[in-house]
Amino acid sequence: MLPRLRSVATGDDLAHFVGHLSAAATLAVSAVLVTGVFNADRGLGGSLVPLTHSDWGLILSAKLGLVGVAIILGGINRLVYLPRIRRGASHNSAASFLTILRAEAVVMIGILSAAAVLAHAVPGAHLGT
């Protein structure tokens, strides 16, 4: 959608769309973080020991690392390229925004894959019982 929008939209339309996309992504990340903390606490049984002593914990750690990468990429887009697009900076800013957005999508595939594995694995807190 963005490449096509970038090629036919005015700067204001692009800035408006990208601003809404960023706001929606921020809201979604906030909701995912809240539910993720709850589920991780439940799966860890209130202890961090299963993070390093179970396959479930290692997969969760990898997922958390990927979430961190996604947040950093999203932050770069929101804090660096979104303001440039709003100021009407060159198409290079929009192209950079799109490149980072694509990288985020690849990272999200990893996050979703890890979540699928976690959903079918025995939580680390329950391995000793």
Side-chain angles (χ1 to χ4, degrees), residues 1 19 23-24 37 51 55 74 87 118:
M1 172 83 183
V37 167
L51 275 177
D55 290 341
R87 285 193 310 265
L118 287 172

Side-chain angles (χ1 to χ4, degrees), residues 94-119:
S96 296
F97 185 95
L98 181 59
T99 299
I100 291 175
L101 195 63
R102 287 178 177 150
E104 278 185 275
V106 170
V107 172
M108 289 302 298
I109 291 170
I111 292 168
L112 291 172
S113 298
V117 172
L118 287 172

Side-chain angles (χ1 to χ4, degrees), residues 20-36 67 71 108:
H20 281 289
L21 177 66
S22 182
T26 300
L27 182 63
V29 165
S30 299
V32 167
L33 285 175
V34 168
T35 60
V67 168
I71 288 172
M108 289 302 298

Side-chain angles (χ1 to χ4, degrees), residues 49-116:
V49 172
L51 275 177
T52 58
H53 291 81
S54 68
D55 290 341
W56 188 89
L58 294 174
I59 296 166
L60 178 63
S61 296
K63 180 182 172 190
L64 291 173
L66 289 171
V67 168
V69 170
I71 288 172
I72 289 168
L73 290 172
I76 291 169
N77 261 351
R78 185 171 181 89
L79 300 174
V80 176
Y81 294 109
L82 178 59
R84 290 180 185 176
I85 291 169
R86 284 183 173 155
R87 285 193 310 265
S90 70
H91 279 286
N92 288 340
S93 295
S96 296
F97 185 95
L98 181 59
T99 299
I100 291 175
L101 195 63
R102 287 178 177 150
E104 278 185 275
V106 170
V107 172
M108 289 302 298
I109 291 170
I111 292 168
L112 291 172
S113 298

